[in-house]
Amino acid sequence: MLSLIAEGGGLRGAYSAGAVVALQENLGLKHVDYATGSSGGICNVAYFVSRQLFMGHDIWVKEVGNHFVKRMNLFTKKPILQKGYIINTVFKKKYPLDVQKIRESTTKLIIPLTNAKTGKTEFFTNHDKEKFFRLLQACISIPFFSAPVRINKNRYYDGVYSCPLPLELPEIKASKKIIILTETQEQDKGRRLEKWISYIFSVRFSKAMRLLIRNYSELRMQFHKDLEKHIKKKDIIIRPKKELPNYSFNSETIKAIYEQGYKDTLDSKPLQKLLKQLKKTHPEYFM
Protein backbone atom coordinates (compact mmCIF):
# COMPACT_ATOMS: atom_id res chain seq x y z
CA MET A 1 0.00 0.00 0.00
CA LEU A 2 1.19 3.53 -0.82
CA SER A 3 0.12 6.80 0.80
CA LEU A 4 0.66 10.44 -0.18
CA ILE A 5 0.53 12.94 2.67
CA ALA A 6 0.82 16.68 1.99
CA GLU A 7 1.08 19.40 4.62
CA GLY A 8 -0.37 22.83 4.01
CA GLY A 9 0.01 25.84 6.28
CA GLY A 10 -0.90 29.11 4.60
CA LEU A 11 1.52 30.28 1.95
CA ARG A 12 3.67 27.21 2.52
CA GLY A 13 1.00 25.08 0.84
CA ALA A 14 2.56 26.23 -2.45
CA TYR A 15 5.55 24.05 -1.56
CA SER A 16 3.46 20.87 -1.31
CA ALA A 17 1.62 21.92 -4.49
CA GLY A 18 4.91 22.04 -6.38
CA ALA A 19 5.88 18.68 -4.87
CA VAL A 20 2.70 16.82 -5.88
CA VAL A 21 2.82 18.34 -9.37
CA ALA A 22 6.39 17.04 -9.74
CA LEU A 23 5.27 13.61 -8.54
CA GLN A 24 2.44 13.32 -11.04
CA GLU A 25 3.50 15.37 -14.03
CA ASN A 26 7.25 14.72 -14.06
CA LEU A 27 7.87 11.49 -12.14
CA GLY A 28 4.75 9.77 -13.43
CA LEU A 29 3.07 8.76 -10.15
CA LYS A 30 -0.62 8.75 -11.08
CA HIS A 31 -2.23 6.79 -8.28
CA VAL A 32 -1.84 5.99 -4.57
CA ASP A 33 -3.97 3.90 -2.22
CA TYR A 34 -4.42 6.66 0.36
CA ALA A 35 -4.07 10.43 0.20
CA THR A 36 -4.37 12.88 3.07
CA GLY A 37 -2.83 15.98 4.58
CA SER A 38 -3.78 19.23 6.26
CA SER A 39 -4.99 22.69 5.26
CA GLY A 40 -4.14 23.58 1.65
CA GLY A 41 -2.32 20.26 1.35
CA ILE A 42 -5.72 18.55 1.20
CA CYS A 43 -6.67 20.76 -1.77
CA ASN A 44 -3.38 19.84 -3.46
CA VAL A 45 -3.93 16.10 -3.09
CA ALA A 46 -7.55 16.49 -4.24
CA TYR A 47 -6.23 17.75 -7.58
CA PHE A 48 -3.74 14.85 -7.51
CA VAL A 49 -6.56 12.32 -7.11
CA SER A 50 -8.54 13.95 -9.95
CA ARG A 51 -5.36 14.03 -12.08
CA GLN A 52 -5.71 17.75 -12.76
CA LEU A 53 -2.43 18.97 -11.33
CA PHE A 54 -1.58 20.81 -14.54
CA MET A 55 -3.72 23.54 -12.93
CA GLY A 56 -1.66 23.64 -9.73
CA HIS A 57 0.80 26.36 -10.70
CA ASP A 58 -1.83 28.86 -11.83
CA ILE A 59 -4.10 28.21 -8.84
CA TRP A 60 -1.36 29.12 -6.40
CA VAL A 61 0.51 31.81 -8.30
CA LYS A 62 -2.37 33.63 -10.00
CA GLU A 63 -5.23 33.05 -7.57
CA VAL A 64 -3.93 32.48 -4.05
CA GLY A 65 -1.22 35.10 -4.48
CA ASN A 66 -3.64 37.79 -5.61
CA HIS A 67 -6.98 37.02 -3.99
CA PHE A 68 -6.86 34.72 -0.94
CA VAL A 69 -5.80 37.14 1.81
CA LYS A 70 -7.35 40.57 2.41
CA ARG A 71 -5.16 42.12 5.10
CA MET A 72 -7.26 45.27 5.46
CA ASN A 73 -10.17 43.14 6.64
CA LEU A 74 -8.19 42.66 9.85
CA PHE A 75 -9.66 46.01 10.90
CA THR A 76 -13.22 45.24 9.84
CA LYS A 77 -15.78 42.53 10.42
CA LYS A 78 -15.15 41.06 6.99
CA PRO A 79 -13.25 37.73 6.68
CA ILE A 80 -9.49 37.93 6.21
CA LEU A 81 -9.31 34.69 4.21
CA GLN A 82 -11.39 34.68 1.05
CA LYS A 83 -12.55 31.06 1.27
CA GLY A 84 -15.63 31.76 -0.79
CA TYR A 85 -13.56 33.05 -3.70
CA ILE A 86 -11.18 30.07 -3.63
CA ILE A 87 -13.98 27.50 -3.46
CA ASN A 88 -16.73 29.07 -5.57
CA THR A 89 -14.65 30.88 -8.19
CA VAL A 90 -11.33 29.02 -8.38
CA PHE A 91 -12.22 25.39 -7.60
CA LYS A 92 -15.67 25.45 -9.21
CA LYS A 93 -15.28 27.78 -12.20
CA LYS A 94 -11.80 28.92 -13.22
CA TYR A 95 -10.01 25.63 -12.52
CA PRO A 96 -12.95 23.24 -12.04
CA LEU A 97 -12.11 20.32 -9.79
CA ASP A 98 -13.61 17.08 -11.09
CA VAL A 99 -15.42 15.98 -7.93
CA GLN A 100 -17.16 13.10 -9.69
CA LYS A 101 -13.79 11.65 -10.66
CA ILE A 102 -12.57 12.04 -7.08
CA ARG A 103 -15.63 10.23 -5.72
CA GLU A 104 -15.18 7.39 -8.22
CA SER A 105 -11.44 7.06 -7.57
CA THR A 106 -10.15 3.94 -5.84
CA THR A 107 -7.82 6.23 -3.90
CA LYS A 108 -9.19 6.88 -0.42
CA LEU A 109 -8.80 10.61 0.22
CA ILE A 110 -8.93 11.13 4.00
CA ILE A 111 -9.85 14.62 5.22
CA PRO A 112 -9.24 15.41 8.92
CA LEU A 113 -11.26 18.31 10.36
CA THR A 114 -11.49 19.80 13.85
CA ASN A 115 -14.95 19.97 15.39
CA ALA A 116 -15.30 23.60 16.53
CA LYS A 117 -17.38 22.64 19.58
CA THR A 118 -15.59 19.55 20.89
CA GLY A 119 -12.06 20.20 19.60
CA LYS A 120 -11.93 16.58 18.44
CA THR A 121 -10.66 15.36 15.08
CA GLU A 122 -13.27 13.90 12.76
CA PHE A 123 -12.35 12.14 9.53
CA PHE A 124 -14.21 12.39 6.24
CA THR A 125 -13.41 10.79 2.88
CA ASN A 126 -14.08 11.30 -0.82
CA HIS A 127 -16.51 8.37 -0.62
CA ASP A 128 -18.74 9.96 2.03
CA LYS A 129 -22.04 11.65 1.20
CA GLU A 130 -21.02 15.10 2.48
CA LYS A 131 -20.65 17.88 -0.07
CA PHE A 132 -17.01 17.73 -1.12
CA PHE A 133 -16.49 21.46 -1.56
CA ARG A 134 -17.75 22.07 1.98
CA LEU A 135 -15.04 19.71 3.22
CA LEU A 136 -12.38 21.63 1.28
CA GLN A 137 -13.70 24.92 2.62
CA ALA A 138 -13.38 23.61 6.17
CA CYS A 139 -9.77 22.58 5.42
CA ILE A 140 -8.83 26.22 4.88
CA SER A 141 -10.78 27.58 7.85
CA ILE A 142 -8.46 28.91 10.54
CA PRO A 143 -9.57 30.12 13.99
CA PHE A 144 -9.84 33.94 14.17
CA PHE A 145 -8.95 34.38 10.49
CA SER A 146 -12.20 32.79 9.28
CA ALA A 147 -15.40 31.26 10.60
CA PRO A 148 -15.85 27.50 10.95
CA VAL A 149 -17.76 25.72 8.20
CA ARG A 150 -21.09 24.01 8.83
CA ILE A 151 -21.26 20.39 7.70
CA ASN A 152 -24.48 18.66 8.63
CA LYS A 153 -25.22 19.77 12.22
CA ASN A 154 -21.65 20.67 13.23
CA ARG A 155 -19.09 23.33 12.45
CA TYR A 156 -15.48 22.58 11.56
CA TYR A 157 -12.04 24.16 11.32
CA ASP A 158 -8.91 22.91 9.60
CA GLY A 159 -7.90 19.54 11.05
CA VAL A 160 -4.35 20.70 11.75
CA TYR A 161 -5.39 22.12 15.14
CA SER A 162 -6.26 18.70 16.52
CA CYS A 163 -4.28 16.44 14.16
CA PRO A 164 -1.25 18.02 12.40
CA LEU A 165 -1.07 15.07 9.97
CA PRO A 166 -2.98 11.77 10.36
CA LEU A 167 0.13 9.58 10.24
CA GLU A 168 -1.17 7.29 12.99
CA LEU A 169 -4.40 6.24 11.27
CA PRO A 170 -4.16 2.44 10.90
CA GLU A 171 -4.32 2.39 7.09
CA ILE A 172 -1.79 5.22 6.77
CA LYS A 173 0.53 3.83 9.45
CA ALA A 174 0.66 0.42 7.74
CA SER A 175 1.50 1.81 4.29
CA LYS A 176 4.66 3.06 2.62
CA LYS A 177 4.46 6.85 2.76
CA ILE A 178 5.55 9.86 0.76
CA ILE A 179 5.29 12.70 3.28
CA ILE A 180 5.57 16.30 2.08
CA LEU A 181 6.27 18.79 4.87
CA THR A 182 6.33 22.56 4.44
CA GLU A 183 8.54 23.61 7.34
CA THR A 184 12.13 22.99 8.28
CA GLN A 185 12.75 21.28 11.58
CA GLU A 186 13.98 24.59 13.01
CA GLN A 187 11.02 26.55 11.73
CA ASP A 188 8.30 24.25 13.03
CA LYS A 189 8.14 25.15 16.70
CA GLY A 190 4.48 25.82 17.18
CA ARG A 191 3.79 28.39 14.46
CA ARG A 192 3.96 31.06 17.12
CA LEU A 193 2.27 33.94 15.29
CA GLU A 194 -0.83 31.92 14.43
CA LYS A 195 -0.94 30.53 17.96
CA TRP A 196 -0.70 33.87 19.78
CA ILE A 197 -3.11 35.77 17.55
CA SER A 198 -5.65 32.99 18.05
CA TYR A 199 -4.83 32.86 21.77
CA ILE A 200 -5.54 36.59 22.23
CA PHE A 201 -8.94 36.26 20.57
CA SER A 202 -9.73 32.80 21.95
CA VAL A 203 -12.72 34.15 23.88
CA ARG A 204 -14.63 33.64 20.62
CA PHE A 205 -14.04 29.90 20.68
CA SER A 206 -15.48 26.96 22.56
CA LYS A 207 -13.68 25.81 25.71
CA ALA A 208 -12.32 22.79 23.83
CA MET A 209 -10.92 24.95 21.02
CA ARG A 210 -9.31 27.36 23.51
CA LEU A 211 -7.56 24.41 25.10
CA LEU A 212 -6.34 23.19 21.69
CA ILE A 213 -4.93 26.61 20.83
CA ARG A 214 -3.11 26.89 24.15
CA ASN A 215 -1.64 23.39 23.79
CA TYR A 216 -0.77 23.71 20.12
CA SER A 217 3.00 23.75 20.64
CA GLU A 218 2.79 20.53 22.65
CA LEU A 219 0.68 18.97 19.90
CA ARG A 220 3.35 19.82 17.33
CA MET A 221 6.05 18.34 19.56
CA GLN A 222 4.13 15.08 19.75
CA PHE A 223 3.68 15.15 15.99
CA HIS A 224 7.45 15.30 15.54
CA LYS A 225 7.95 12.38 17.89
CA ASP A 226 5.51 10.39 15.75
CA LEU A 227 7.26 11.59 12.60
CA GLU A 228 10.57 10.19 13.84
CA LYS A 229 9.02 6.71 13.83
CA HIS A 230 8.20 7.05 10.14
CA ILE A 231 11.66 8.38 9.32
CA LYS A 232 13.16 5.29 10.96
CA LYS A 233 10.82 3.14 8.85
CA LYS A 234 12.43 4.69 5.75
CA ASP A 235 9.30 6.51 4.66
CA ILE A 236 10.05 9.27 2.16
CA ILE A 237 10.22 12.75 3.67
CA ILE A 238 10.33 15.79 1.40
CA ARG A 239 10.74 19.11 3.17
CA PRO A 240 12.41 22.48 2.55
CA LYS A 241 16.03 22.87 3.60
CA LYS A 242 15.61 26.56 4.32
CA GLU A 243 12.81 28.45 6.04
CA LEU A 244 9.82 29.37 3.89
CA PRO A 245 7.95 32.65 4.39
CA ASN A 246 4.34 32.36 5.45
CA TYR A 247 2.89 35.87 5.64
CA SER A 248 4.10 37.51 2.43
CA PHE A 249 1.25 36.82 0.05
CA ASN A 250 2.43 37.92 -3.39
CA SER A 251 2.72 36.04 -6.65
CA GLU A 252 6.51 36.14 -6.91
CA THR A 253 7.06 34.72 -3.43
CA ILE A 254 4.48 31.99 -3.98
CA LYS A 255 6.02 31.11 -7.36
CA ALA A 256 9.44 30.71 -5.73
CA ILE A 257 8.02 28.47 -2.98
CA TYR A 258 6.12 26.37 -5.54
CA GLU A 259 9.26 25.92 -7.64
CA GLN A 260 11.27 24.96 -4.56
CA GLY A 261 8.79 22.17 -3.74
CA TYR A 262 8.95 20.98 -7.33
CA LYS A 263 12.77 20.96 -7.39
CA ASP A 264 13.19 19.30 -3.97
CA THR A 265 10.89 16.49 -5.08
CA LEU A 266 12.77 15.86 -8.31
CA ASP A 267 16.10 15.93 -6.42
CA SER A 268 15.07 13.41 -3.74
CA LYS A 269 17.27 10.33 -4.15
CA PRO A 270 15.21 8.16 -1.74
CA LEU A 271 12.08 9.05 -3.72
CA GLN A 272 13.75 8.17 -7.01
CA LYS A 273 14.77 4.81 -5.57
CA LEU A 274 11.27 4.09 -4.28
CA LEU A 275 9.56 4.98 -7.56
CA LYS A 276 12.03 2.85 -9.50
CA GLN A 277 11.12 -0.14 -7.32
CA LEU A 278 7.39 0.55 -7.57
CA LYS A 279 7.50 0.68 -11.37
CA LYS A 280 8.64 -2.95 -11.28
CA THR A 281 6.42 -4.23 -8.46
CA HIS A 282 3.32 -1.99 -8.76
CA PRO A 283 3.06 -0.59 -12.30
CA GLU A 284 -0.61 0.28 -11.61
CA TYR A 285 0.59 3.33 -9.64
CA PHE A 286 1.86 4.83 -12.90
CA MET A 287 -1.15 4.16 -15.11
Side-chain angles (χ1 to χ4, degrees), residues 142-183:
I142 302 172
F144 172 67
F145 291 102
S146 57
V149 174
R150 179 180 289 278
I151 299 172
N152 297 326
K153 296 181 179 180
N154 297 311
R155 294 181 183 274
Y156 296 91
Y157 287 113
D158 179 7
V160 74
Y161 289 93
S162 55
C163 176
L165 282 178
L167 301 178
E168 300 306 303
L169 281 179
E171 56 265 62
I172 302 295
K173 190 174 183 178
S175 66
K176 185 69 177 179
K177 290 170 282 299
I178 300 171
I179 304 171
I180 303 165
L181 303 177
T182 58
E183 293 183 328

Side-chain angles (χ1 to χ4, degrees), residues 231-248:
I231 293 174
K232 290 178 181 178
K233 287 176 58 180
K234 306 297 183 183
D235 285 322
I236 306 301
I237 308 293
I238 298 170
R239 74 186 314 166
K241 295 178 181 178
K242 62 180 182 179
E243 184 173 323
L244 300 178
N246 195 36
Y247 301 101
S248 177

Side-chain angles (χ1 to χ4, degrees), residues 191-206:
R191 300 180 183 178
R192 290 186 178 88
L193 181 57
E194 292 174 18
K195 175 188 174 181
W196 288 111
I197 290 177
S198 297
Y199 186 92
I200 292 169
F201 292 90
S202 63
V203 67
R204 299 185 181 189
F205 308 133
S206 68

Side-chain angles (χ1 to χ4, degrees), residues 2-6 16-32 45 48 53 178-180 236 238 261-262 265-266 268 271-272 274-275 285-286:
L2 181 65
S3 295
L4 173 62
I5 301 103
S16 63
V20 294
V21 170
L23 274 170
Q24 191 169 86
E25 296 295 304
N26 192 290
L27 298 176
L29 183 65
K30 305 296 185 184
H31 173 77
V32 294
V45 295
F48 177 93
L53 277 172
I178 300 171
I179 304 171
I180 303 165
I236 306 301
I238 298 170
Y262 192 97
T265 303
L266 295 184
S268 172
L271 177 62
Q272 293 173 17
L274 172 65
L275 296 182
Y285 290 143
F286 302 87

Side-chain angles (χ1 to χ4, degrees), residues 1-5 24 29-37 42 44-51 99-111 124-128 132 171-172 175 284-287:
M1 294 292 181
L2 181 65
S3 295
L4 173 62
I5 301 103
Q24 191 169 86
L29 183 65
K30 305 296 185 184
H31 173 77
V32 294
D33 299 293
Y34 303 104
T36 188
I42 290 287
N44 293 334
V45 295
Y47 276 89
F48 177 93
V49 174
S50 69
R51 303 192 182 192
V99 173
Q100 186 63 31
K101 192 171 184 178
I102 291 173
R103 291 204 181 279
E104 294 173 353
S105 175
T106 56
T107 297
K108 184 177 182 181
L109 174 55
I110 302 170
I111 303 171
F124 300 84
T125 80
N126 53 322
H127 302 141
D128 294 337
F132 192 74
E171 56 265 62
I172 302 295
S175 66
E284 67 273 15
Y285 290 143
F286 302 87
M287 296 178 180

Side-chain angles (χ1 to χ4, degrees), residues 57-120:
H57 175 276
D58 287 355
I59 289 174
W60 277 93
V61 175
K62 294 183 179 180
E63 302 298 336
V64 176
N66 294 321
H67 302 290
F68 186 45
V69 177
K70 299 295 183 182
R71 293 186 182 86
M72 294 307 297
N73 288 356
L74 181 65
F75 307 102
T76 72
K77 293 183 178 180
K78 296 179 180 179
I80 298 170
L81 302 184
Q82 304 303 298
K83 298 182 299 182
Y85 177 82
I86 294 298
I87 299 297
N88 297 321
T89 301
V90 178
F91 290 172
K92 290 185 178 180
K93 296 178 181 178
K94 287 191 173 183
Y95 305 90
L97 181 62
D98 192 339
V99 173
Q100 186 63 31
K101 192 171 184 178
I102 291 173
R103 291 204 181 279
E104 294 173 353
S105 175
T106 56
T107 297
K108 184 177 182 181
L109 174 55
I110 302 170
I111 303 171
L113 298 177
T114 302
N115 186 303
K117 182 177 181 180
T118 67
K120 301 292 186 182

